[in-house]
Amino acid sequence: SGIDYTHMKEKIYEIVKLENINIQDTAVESIITISNGDARRVINLLQSLQLQQKSVITSENVYKMDGSPLPSDIETIYNSLLEDSFKVSFEIINQIVKTNGYTITDIVTRLSEKLCFSDNPRFMDELSNIEYNLSEGGSEILAVGNLVSCFH
């Protein structure tokens, strides 16, 4: 178990003040989301971000530094899964993964988080199986097919 949201937020603001880091509130929220209560991950992210800081640290900077899928990419994938054909969804996911260097595991994890907080948690078992198969060395391309088939 990690540090709860309120304490994590307080600690992040304490650190950014002490280290004189210029950061947007949305970036702090992104750090909290990505870290999942892990203070070490927060500190590592803040250190990396501070070293790369050119001006104000944004939410996008946080996701890119961590290598995590951008929320806008997850939204694009989610909408495609719900609205597009199997073929189109498959192509969109593969293009986003290829262009940004994401792993399918990260995509599935972020989609799981999105579905957990939505009114539509019906795909959770299937997403869990995809994550398990990937952790056992399963093929990423097959995982994309499995992911798309969950929604079609």
Side-chain angles (χ1 to χ4, degrees):
S1 128
I3 299 172
D4 69 75
Y5 174 87
T6 304
H7 288 101
M8 184 66 78
K9 190 171 185 175
E10 289 171 1
K11 283 295 175 193
I12 291 172
Y13 279 111
E14 185 179 316
I15 292 167
V16 299
K17 183 177 179 184
L18 287 169
E19 297 294 327
N20 199 27
I21 299 171
N22 194 1
I23 189 168
Q24 293 178 348
D25 291 337
T26 55
V28 171
E29 296 294 328
S30 298
I31 290 171
I32 293 168
T33 299
I34 289 170
S35 71
N36 203 24
D38 183 348
R40 292 168 299 195
R41 192 163 182 190
V42 168
I43 291 168
N44 288 334
L45 261 173
L46 284 171
Q47 282 179 320
S48 298
L49 289 162
Q50 184 180 26
L51 290 172
Q52 298 293 321
Q53 183 177 0
K54 294 173 180 73
S55 58
V56 178
I57 296 171
T58 65
S59 181
E60 186 172 334
N61 298 141
V62 172
Y63 281 97
K64 286 185 176 183
M65 179 62 68
D66 187 63
S68 293
L70 292 168
S72 59
D73 289 333
I74 295 301
E75 195 64 31
T76 298
I77 290 169
Y78 180 70
N79 290 335
S80 176
L81 288 168
L82 292 177
E83 298 167 6
D84 295 332
S85 69
F86 182 98
K87 182 180 184 212
V88 170
S89 292
F90 188 86
E91 290 170 355
I92 287 172
I93 293 170
N94 278 321
Q95 185 60 42
I96 288 173
V97 166
K98 183 179 175 183
T99 303
N100 298 291
Y102 302 147
T103 66
I104 300 304
T105 302
D106 287 339
I107 300 283
V108 170
T109 299
R110 295 291 175 223
L111 281 172
S112 296
E113 291 167 358
K114 181 174 181 54
L115 288 169
C116 255
F117 297 108
S118 76
D119 296 331
N120 196 6
R122 67 180 188 204
F123 305 109
M124 296 305 291
D125 282 343
E126 291 93 344
L127 294 177
S128 174
N129 288 333
I130 293 168
E131 275 187 304
Y132 175 76
N133 290 335
L134 285 166
S135 74
E136 293 291 312
S139 161
E140 291 229 340
I141 199 76
L142 289 177
V144 173
N146 288 337
L147 173 61
V148 177
S149 70
C150 289
F151 289 79
H152 289 85

